Every structure is written in C-alpha cells, then in structure tokens.
Amino acid sequence: EIVMTQSPGTLSVSPGERATLSCKASQTISTNVAWYRQKPGQAPMLLIYGASTRAIDTPDRLSGGGSGTEFTLTISSLQSEDFAVYYCQQYHNWPRTFGQGTKVEFK
Amino acid sequence: QVQLQESGPGLVKPSQTLSLTCAVSGASVTSSYYYWSWIRQPPGKGLEWIGYIYRSGNTYYNEALMSRLSMSVDTSKNQFSLQLSSVTAADTAVYYCARDHQSWNGFFVGLDVWGQGTPVTVSS
C-alpha cells in the first residue's frame, strides 16, 4: 500500500500568517491526492482534490499543489476556522491511505 | 443535499461482532459514481480507511481487517452496513461512513460526503 507522510506534525502559526503543510507519497501518485480538515469533535471535511482543485465551499486562501510524490497545502492568511488538523489522502489506488495529520495551532 | 448517518451500538464486548449501518439520503446507493466507504479514528489518533462496498456488492477491504470484516448494501433501504467480528479494545474508535466519489469522466474527487461519526467502545 502507498504510505503518506505528512510534515510537520504540529505547526504553530499566528492569525493572518501563512502556513504550508507537506505530504509525501511513498510512490508516484500523479495528482491523486485530497486534503481534509478536521475540527475537534467533527468529521473530516474535503478541502482539495486532484492535488489543487478546491472543493465546494473551500475558500480561495487555501491552495494545493504538487504532483508525483510531493504535495503541499498552503493557507495564505490563517483565520480562526483554519486552526485544526489536516490530513492528506491518496486515491491513486486501493486501499486508500491517509497521512498521519498535521495540527495547525495558535502560536 | 446528501447526508450520511451512522447508527449502531456504542458499546460492544470483546470477542463480539460490531455492526454499524449508514443511512444515505439525497443520493442513491445504486449510483455508479459512488463507492460507499468506512473510515475509523481511534481516540486521539489519525484516520484509518476500513474499506468500501460498491452498488454491485463488490468490496475492497483493508488487508489488516480483512479476515474479520464484512460489508453489505441494502438498496431497498438505501443504506450500507459494516460488520467487524472478534473485536478487541484496539477496535475502539469513532467510525465514519463516507462517499468516495468518481466523477462522470472517471476521475475520483475524494471522500466528499461524511457522516457525523459514531463512537464505538469495546469493553466488557
């Protein structure tokens, strides 16, 4: 199975700052990656698919990039609702696999 | 608006079988575009993909759970189900059902709809 590795584990950021999250796949997966946000006590929510396509309701301050094995999620100016845990997931093949998550917390 | 709703017992005894159902509204489990999936999240940990069932009844399971896992789909009730046998404390988690969406052009677009999740504790 494809292993997804996210970094850093925790990112401490101030509101209004820029945050960049990374995700690396153990083999090439083209752009078959999605990003999810999970707030405490809630289900994950799809933010980005196809590495860079925003899902409905995803604000344009969130952007995804990358292809092959390395991917990024960038939040250009953090708002209060952005402080959460983010997961990348590959859907290049089965089984689907998730990264271990990056927690974005208040600095 | 598509909604998924998990249901099932919140407490299961060790060695017993965990059974969960996901009721689907606003979409049909018979659609060719959707792979109906289960994901779980142990307390304080990350997401683990469990498997999917397709409208035809075809399934794909996480290899680590395959020997204990069974999924089914009920088209008459527009719902799908999960059964996990011989549970242990390691199966304690919030269980989510979700829709894995394949668009009309054949490309997947991620797990675009999730249920709210149902917590399951394995304890005697």
Side-chain angles (χ1 to χ4, degrees), chain B:
Chain B
Q1 182 184 3
V2 181
Q3 292 186 319
L4 305 181
Q5 179 67 59
E6 305 91 348
S7 62
L11 181 64
V12 183
K13 289 182 167 51
S15 80
Q16 292 190 342
T17 297
L18 163 65
S19 297
L20 298 174
T21 295
C22 181
V24 179
S25 59
S28 174
V29 295
T30 62
S31 171
S32 61
Y33 296 124
Y34 309 134
Y35 293 71
W36 302 101
S37 304
W38 290 95
I39 298 98
R40 69 180 183 179
Q41 186 170 36
K45 296 189 178 180
L47 301 167
E48 180 184 26
W49 186 82
I50 297 172
Y52 79 73
I53 185 162
Y54 190 59
R55 63 175 185 166
S56 60
N58 287 353
T59 56
Y60 193 107
Y61 299 153
N62 182 322
E63 189 172 344
L65 301 171
M66 189 179 298
S67 62
R68 301 190 288 129
L69 188 58
S70 177
M71 293 184 187
S72 60
V73 62
D74 186 336
T75 57
S76 66
K77 295 181 178 179
N78 209 39
Q79 64 187 32
F80 59 103
S81 301
L82 167 152
Q83 288 194 315
L84 184 65
S85 64
S86 304
V87 298
T88 71
D91 296 310
T92 294
V94 175
Y95 285 74
Y96 296 100
C97 57
R99 186 178 79 173
D100 200 325
H101 187 169
Q102 184 177 32
S103 67
W104 61 271
N105 58 10
F107 291 102
F108 281 91
V109 297
L111 294 154
D112 66 344
V113 182
W114 293 66
Q116 65 186 25
T118 188
V120 176
T121 300
V122 178
S123 175
S124 55

Side-chain angles (χ1 to χ4, degrees), chain A residues 1-3 26-27 90 93-97, chain B residues 62-64:
Chain A
E1 69 177 41
I2 298 172
V3 176
S26 60
Q27 64 188 72
Q90 66 81 21
N93 55 23
W94 307 97
R96 305 309 200 210
T97 48
Chain B
N62 182 322
E63 189 172 344

Side-chain angles (χ1 to χ4, degrees), chain A residues 24-44:
Chain A
K24 182 174 290 189
S26 60
Q27 64 188 72
T28 185
I29 58 171
S30 185
T31 57
N32 296 316
V33 70
W35 289 91
Y36 303 84
R37 168 193 291 166
Q38 186 178 34
K39 297 180 182 180
Q42 296 185 16

